């Protein structure tokens, strides 16, 4: 249902944009921005359709979805009861996080047609994989960054394999 909510939104917005002679939203936004928008939309939709999960009310709190009633006002800076939602274009679900931590992680993999020409004939954005699994600190590797770079961590080979075993949706 969450994926369908995103599809419906993009269809409505892209129909309106193209009707005015503008680019699709998928083409306008830089990949990192689109990924963030999709993550936020999926988080909101998953909360809307869930019986026990709700959006974390702490700005930039972790995880994105928390179990209702566990934290005061459903807000926590860094909690353990909930699900972190990520999106990526990388097949297989490898995605950077802002730190290695034990957590439930839900990763949506999507594709965007940026090559077909003319652009008006491009395929709509589509989700191709969804993974939902519990990962631990030892499942991550830390990514080296320069002095100005943001510290990140990514599931290492065995960690990503563990997540992939917990697939929910795959288009072959």
């Amino acid at each position: 249902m969450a994926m369908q909510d995103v599809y419906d939104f993009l269809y409505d917005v892209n129909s309106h944009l193209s009707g005015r002679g503008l680019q699709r939203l998928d083409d306008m936004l830089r990949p990192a921005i689109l990924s963030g928008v999709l993550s936020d939309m999926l988080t909101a939709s998953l909360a809307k359709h869930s019986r026990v999960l709700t959006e974390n009310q702490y700005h930039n709190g972790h995880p994105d979805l928390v179990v209702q009633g566990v934290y005061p006002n459903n807000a926590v800076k860094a909690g353990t009861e909930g699900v972190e939602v990520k999106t990526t274009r990388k097949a297989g679900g490898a995605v950077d996080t802002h730190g290695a931590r034990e957590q439930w992680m839900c990763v949506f993999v999507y594709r965007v047609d940026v090559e077909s020409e003319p652009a008006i004939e491009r395929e709509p954005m589509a989700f191709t994989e969804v993974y939902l699994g519990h990962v631990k600190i030892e499942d991550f590797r830390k990514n080296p960054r320069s002095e100005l770079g943001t510290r990140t961590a990514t599931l290492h080979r065995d960690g990503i394999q563990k997540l992939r075993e917990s697939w929910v949706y795959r288009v072959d």
Side-chain angles (χ1 to χ4, degrees):
M1 289 187 289
M3 292 188 304
Q4 189 62 52
D5 285 348
V6 172
Y7 290 150
D8 292 346
F9 172 83
L10 289 175
Y11 176 83
D12 292 345
V13 168
N14 286 335
S15 293
H16 177 75
L17 290 170
S18 66
R20 303 192 86 181
L22 300 169
Q23 291 180 310
R24 301 178 317 161
L25 189 64
D26 327 32
D27 293 329
M28 275 190 224
L29 298 178
R30 289 177 290 172
I33 303 267
L34 180 60
S35 183
V37 168
L38 291 174
S39 290
D40 289 347
M41 290 176 66
L42 289 163
T43 297
S45 184
L46 287 166
K48 178 178 85 171
H49 295 294
S50 175
R51 293 181 183 172
V52 297
L53 296 173
T54 189
E55 287 183 80
N56 187 345
Q57 296 302 303
Y58 194 96
H59 178 67
N60 284 333
H62 183 278
D64 297 313
L65 294 167
V66 295
V67 177
Q68 290 182 22
V70 171
Y71 303 105
N73 302 312
N74 294 317
V76 63
K77 182 177 182 178
T80 57
E81 302 302 315
V83 179
E84 182 70 1
V85 178
K86 298 288 187 188
T87 60
T88 183
R89 292 185 189 195
K90 297 177 190 170
V95 62
D96 288 345
T97 66
H98 291 293
R101 57 177 86 189
E102 184 170 346
Q103 63 188 340
W104 279 94
M105 180 183 279
C106 185
V107 179
F108 289 81
V109 179
Y110 64 97
R111 74 169 177 267
V112 175
D113 180 0
V114 294
E115 296 177 7
S116 296
E117 291 296 338
I120 193 84
E121 294 180 12
R122 291 184 178 164
E123 292 293 319
M125 186 281 305
F127 293 105
T128 57
E129 306 163 51
V130 180
Y131 302 97
L132 173 63
H134 187 260
V135 295
K136 297 183 177 185
I137 292 172
E138 55 268 18
D139 293 326
F140 287 86
R141 65 175 165 78
K142 292 180 181 173
N143 300 323
R145 290 290 193 241
S146 69
E147 187 175 314
L148 299 177
T150 303
R151 180 180 59 95
T152 64
T154 306
L155 292 170
H156 58 54
R157 182 182 310 202
D158 293 338
I160 196 67
Q161 183 59 38
K162 179 179 175 181
L163 183 68
R164 288 176 184 158
E165 290 170 2
S166 303
W167 66 272
V168 175
Y169 175 83
R170 289 190 303 200
V171 177
D172 294 323

